[in-house]
Amino acid sequence: MTLPMLSGEPHVITAGADLLGEALDAQAVPRVRVDWRPPMPGTEDHLARVLADPRRAAANVRAAGRLTSARPQLVAVRPAHEVLELPPGTFLHAGPPIDWERASGPMRGALIGAMLLEGLAADAQEAGKLLAAGRARLDSCHHHRTVGPMAGVVSPSMWMFEVHDAEHGGTAYCSLNEGLGKVLRYGAYGPEVIERLRWMGEVLGPALRATLELTGPLDLRSLIAQALQMGDELHNRNRAATSLLVRELAPAVVEAAPGHAAEVLRFVNGNDHFFLNPGMAACKVSADAARDIPGSTMVVAMARNGTDFGVQVSGLGDRWFTGPAGVPDGLYLGAYGPADANPDIGDSTITETAGLGGFAMAAAPAIVRFVGGDVSDAVAATRSMYEITLAEHPAYQIPGLGFRGTPVGVDVTLVARTGLLPTVNTGIAGRVAGTGQVGAGLVSPPASAFTAALAALADAVPIG
Amino acid sequence: MSSDLVQVRTGVYHDSVSLMRVSQAVTGLPGVEVAVVAMATELNLGIAAELGFELPPAGPADLLVAVRAADPGAADLAAAELDRLLSGLAARTGSPAAAEHPPRTVRAAARLVADPGAAGAGGGPSTGAAGPGEGPQGTPSPAGASGGAALVLVSVPGPYAFAEAMDALDAGLSVMIFSDNVPVEQEVLLKRRASELGLLVMGPDCGTAVVGGAGLGFANVLRPGPVGVVAASGTGAQQVTCLLDLAGVGVGHVLGVGGRDLSAEVGGLSTLRALDALDADPATELIVLISKPPAPEVADAVLQAAGKLSTPVVTAFLGPGRDDLTAAAESVLRALKTEPPAWPSWPAAGEDGRTAAGAATGRLRGIYSGGTLCTEARLVAGTGEFTDYGDDEYTRGRAHPMIDPALRLEALAAVPPGDVALLDVVLGHGADPDPSARLAPAITAAVSRGVPVVVALVGTEGDPQGLAAQARALSAAGARVFASNAQAARHAARLAGAPVPVRSTR
């Protein structure tokens, strides 16, 4: 059997002692130098076991293949009580599971708001008491094929985007985006917040439902691909995607809801982030297609509840691996500053999980005005993510990088080996319940979430 | 009153060989007593602690700097020079395309080789496919298929080598593992995976290889030719191929397989694969298989496999009662219908014939850098005290003696008058750029003390150091120099008055 390296001019990749690389340079042998460094401390044995797992390579090919071949389509807008098992008094929230005791300010604020919206408490004080007494049931959105930005609180009367994966058959949900400023997802629960949510339930939701019935399924894969080429990264910048969505829906909105068309379109058009939520559902349905592949080391969810940052891994089922959520580093609105910031919160890291957001920064140079830094930082952020991902997205491409696909499919072993953590773009919620948004920026997940997942992967490697 | 400078720098990584050079350079500065510049591994922290430095907490991903100088002024100068040297290391890059964003793993580098467009911002159009090893069928595609044959050279510390080597195999590339201290079960796993994928794992602890004219690790510059070598012994392969080169016979490939390959645990996995690959290589007309004594059952399997090849195989299993390496090289020449030449040797300066056999009365001291050369010399001489300074025991926390002769110089200086010193000097890429420069004064000192010095000089005229130039410098210093290690050992044993079994290597 022939060995390819024995024919043709040699080309060498070197990792390790520079002396040996220099010896090749002296012979004019072309080479690529690996800038190698030791892995995260304490991971050597786990890495050796996981990398030796004979299932790993094929499992990751399959996981990355399913994630990148998903074809998310927006098929409907429906009330949560219709599509989710959500009996009264049950609320979904962002991130890994958490109870009231450990919940941060914005999470508590959003839960209070949801209690008020559902008519389960007369005022905020009563709502807080009931929640503290354990009178509401809390569960993670991710346990219900659902994602929610920031606090991510979902209650039965809220309306949801329903996204279907035309390739693998999955379904995922995300609530409707309320806009910026004082909004429930940032922990605000004042009268204007509740009033807006009521209008969304009475007018916006039904109008969009009727609209989708007219248009039929909307191809989100193609819409996201276009938005990337128009300067969005689909997490903190959704201006192009929202504009494209309006272009797709506007005529049908007019036909489906003539009485409310102007206010509906004005609302959608007035919120650059309106597409964030259907985009998140698209990412969720894609990532879910890659779940439960034994041996796969690919991350299928990254999510924060304002206290913990958690990851889920394809080969490890529904287990969460968590570490403390960090405080984002970024720019602040008005007089707010870092002291007002809550630790990282929200399921919107599903965009990074699916190769968008912080991973697609290079596609969105305008984002640096919003999260701080230079354009070169945005390019460097995307480049470094190729180091820790399994694939490049075939449809989501970055014009500025020669139409290279976005880095997608975080591999826990590569995170441990390189010490590079996923780059996450995020909004910043005020730490006091009821405040709302105070800024936007970048945040690093805790390394411990990934090393814990790696240890569990090592334990899951079959013996022999 | 001396002044200690201790720093822990986080987020800085350099390989141990580079840092040893920096440590040496700083230690050599005026007013500096000792300098430890090393990654803060347990071993290195221990070394610094033993030297009496007060150390803050640090881990293997941190760079430890510990300098003891005569006074604070000297310490400041040392710190400045240190920064200069370290920034020099940081500025080093391999390929210009990857200079700005060098890959952090072999996996990323393999992707770069397979798709150079990934390096630059304005690269070619995306193929839309995933990286290497992630094709739709999930089968690895050989990176670099378009622009020559790629392979991977791994020399990271042993505990980390597995991940990088596995990356190579996952990307469809063969790999040479220079690193030692790789657990044997990892070696077996890698080699089994390579066999399944039709690839080759050279090593671990593979010191030398030549692939398509490129010398990897410690490698001699050999004329191209029809001989292919499979070697479980680095310096053994270097001796045989250098002698072939001296006889005018060229070598196409030298495939090292690592010293453990022919053990019962590994079962010759890479040897079998390498034999097979050379047999399939149209340019290889004769295969030489070189190893220290293999496990008997493995030797049987390997010999049986070798017998089935269409290419003739000359086997050199070094051991008591077997051919030495020089004899093996001569067998190869005869198999190629070439008459073995008289192997070159260079008389010691002032040698007049009276310093012939039995002139000295003491013992033979073998001071070696090459493991196989050391074993061979011990077998050939049949007497004396031999030390392999390339052994793990002597290379912990310091560079290999082919790069840093300090320990061997100390050993040579300690040989008592009347004893005979026998040294190897191995030339080639990766080795000391001018070994005679530091050895010559030590040799002269030994000879003038009444210690005859014999040198086995393994190299070729094409080596960067040049065989003849090094031989002249060593012989001018007073050493008797042989191109054949076996001849050097025989000569040294005779000088020491030992009854050497006469065994023609002609």
Side-chain angles (χ1 to χ4, degrees), chain B residues 6-10 40 45 54-60 62-64:
Chain B
V6 177
Q7 293 174 345
V8 172
R9 303 187 183 187
T10 54
L45 288 170
E54 298 258 346
L55 302 173
D62 304 322
L63 178 68
L64 170 70

Side-chain angles (χ1 to χ4, degrees), chain B residues 146-212:
Chain B
S146 51
L151 73 150
V152 177
L153 169 54
V154 173
S155 59
V156 302
Y160 312 119
F162 180 74
E164 305 306 322
M166 198 52 107
D167 274 2
L169 300 181
D170 281 349
L173 302 178
S174 291
V175 59
M176 166 169 167
I177 306 172
F178 184 88
S179 323
D180 54 9
N181 293 311
V182 175
V184 72
E185 61 274 14
Q186 294 183 356
E187 175 174 351
V188 171
L189 251 162
L190 288 167
K191 287 181 171 178
R192 284 208 186 121
R193 190 68 58 88
S195 300
E196 289 162 20
L197 297 169
L199 301 169
L200 178 67
V201 172
M202 298 189 278
D205 205 5
C206 175
T208 186
V210 178
V211 176

